[in-house]
Amino acid sequence: MTESAITIGKFDGIHKGHQLLIEDVVRAAKENGYRSICYMLDFGDSALMTREEDEEILKSLGIDEIIRPEFSPEFASMSHNEFVQRILVDDLNVRYVAVGTDFRYGKDRQGDVNTLSISGDTFGFDVNIIDKLKIEDEIVSSTRIRKCLEDGKVSEASELMGHPYKITGEVAGGKKLGRTLGYPTINVDYDVRKKLPKYGVYASRVLIHASGDVECSDTCEFRGITNIGIRPSVDDGDKVTIETFIYDFDEDIYGRYVEVIPEFYIRGEKTFDSLDALTEQITKDIKKAKSEA
């Protein structure tokens, strides 16, 4: 089995701090002829990125292999020593490990960077412990990024991530109400585990993947405004929708894969007394989005 360099963690958002670990592992792998591995622990809760988005970023950073172990009772019950022996040594033939200073592993999180370093001495693999990245004197973390999203600060979240926060999925059918208002929209069938930003209206970029009626060689990029929320003026339920009006665009793209990238917050969701009032507000939103873009 090919020897490996590996980094281990949850990697929620694959932010700039995570990228230090990933880049270090890729470097070590290239210098020594190892395969580089990102070992991603997934606990089944909400995520800043979908699996497809994770893979896109990790591949762009040079990772050879992504492993997502099933968090089964058996996996959770492994002691830190068992994890090293069974997973790192026996399964992955590890020769290099990069982790953050707060790394914990094994049953009840009993393992830490000290026990990992001791295991490295025992089994013959190097351990590199990388300090937390700080931006503006504050640690870059998934928790910090989530707080930015909850406050509607999508551009700040993207800056901390080092790549755009985006909402991806296929275009799904909707009520076509926007068309009757003169503002046809697309609805994104997104992964419900995705951590969404504060409900409201955002100026956004939209990437539409090639095929069909839209003439582009690969991916077309447009601008528009996106409503994220429950649309209180037109919907009775509490289902969260991602609805985007794309400027100067009226093509049928149902079933196409799109990426909606919110750029800045315009306003919160409102309940309108009439469709005319809603139309008037949409016009104002577009004007504001274009003026501040």
Side-chain angles (χ1 to χ4, degrees):
M1 180 189 301
T2 304
E3 297 171 323
S4 67
I6 184 171
T7 184
I8 311 165
K10 190 173 180 182
F11 298 106
D12 185 24
I14 313 182
H15 56 62
K16 287 182 175 179
H18 296 145
Q19 289 169 36
L20 294 178
L21 297 170
I22 293 161
E23 290 165 358
D24 185 65
V25 160
V26 170
R27 174 200 56 76
K30 287 181 178 179
E31 290 178 356
N32 295 282
Y34 305 151
R35 75 188 194 280
S36 58
I37 297 175
C38 185
Y39 196 87
M40 301 186 73
L41 302 174
D42 185 348
F43 299 105
D45 47 2
S46 71
L48 291 169
M49 295 167 59
T50 67
R51 289 192 170 202
E52 292 77 13
E53 293 163 11
D54 285 341
E55 291 172 7
E56 177 186 357
I57 295 297
L58 289 170
K59 292 300 183 183
S60 73
L61 293 172
I63 285 290
D64 296 318
E65 185 176 355
I66 303 164
I67 297 177
R68 299 176 186 268
E70 179 185 358
F71 198 70
S72 63
E74 179 187 6
F75 184 89
S77 67
M78 274 194 293
S79 69
H80 61 280
N81 287 328
E82 286 180 296
F83 177 81
V84 170
Q85 177 72 67
R86 293 172 53 184
I87 305 299
L88 298 187
V89 176
D90 295 344
D91 291 350
L92 302 178
N93 195 18
V94 69
R95 287 295 176 265
Y96 186 91
V97 181
V99 292
T101 54
D102 63 347
F103 176 67
R104 304 300 293 260
Y105 65 106
K107 183 180 179 181
D108 299 326
R109 296 168 53 85
Q110 292 177 347
D112 58 18
V113 293
N114 293 319
T115 60
L116 185 63
S117 296
I118 292 170
S119 293
D121 292 338
T122 301
F123 292 102
F125 59 81
D126 295 323
V127 177
N128 189 16
I129 302 164
I130 296 179
D131 290 335
K132 293 290 186 180
L133 175 67
K134 288 187 176 182
I135 294 179
E136 296 179 354
D137 295 324
E138 186 178 350
I139 290 173
V140 176
S141 68
S142 301
T143 300
R144 182 178 172 186
I145 294 167
R146 286 169 174 267
K147 181 62 167 60
C148 289
L149 293 177
E150 289 163 5
D151 292 340
K153 299 177 180 178
V154 287
S155 61
E156 186 174 328
S158 293
E159 173 60 28
L160 295 172
M161 291 170 75
H163 49 84
Y165 168 84
K166 58 188 178 181
I167 303 166
T168 60
E170 291 187 354
V171 176
K175 293 184 176 181
K176 297 184 172 62
L177 177 62
R179 188 171 298 276
T180 67
L181 300 176
Y183 294 111
T185 60
I186 62 168
N187 290 274
V188 180
D189 186 12
Y190 65 96
D191 187 334
V192 295
R193 286 185 55 201
K194 180 83 174 187
K195 172 68 176 177
L196 297 176
K198 180 180 180 179
Y199 292 172
V201 178
Y202 293 81
S204 59
R205 287 191 294 132
V206 184
L207 305 182
I208 303 175
H209 285 240
S211 74
D213 297 329
V214 180
E215 296 180 1
C216 54
S217 59
D218 184 15
T219 300
C220 288
E221 179 172 331
F222 300 88
R223 303 194 77 85
I225 58 170
T226 299
N227 186 86
I228 300 173
I230 58 174
R231 303 191 308 174
S233 297
V234 297
D235 286 336
D236 298 326
D238 57 0
K239 180 182 178 181
V240 178
T241 60
I242 312 297
E243 187 175 27
T244 299
F245 168 68
I246 305 173
Y247 308 148
D248 306 315
F249 184 88
D250 191 18
E251 301 285 349
D252 182 356
I253 56 171
Y254 289 122
R256 299 272 293 282
Y257 183 81
V258 299
E259 304 175 39
V260 176
I261 304 170
E263 295 192 303
F264 61 86
Y265 183 78
I266 297 174
R267 64 168 175 85
E269 283 202 300
K270 298 179 182 178
T271 301
F272 296 92
D273 295 332
S274 67
L275 292 181
D276 286 343
L278 173 58
T279 303
E280 182 180 351
Q281 181 62 61
I282 293 172
T283 303
K284 292 179 180 178
D285 294 339
I286 293 170
K287 183 177 180 179
K288 182 174 181 180
K290 287 183 174 181
S291 68
E292 297 184 15

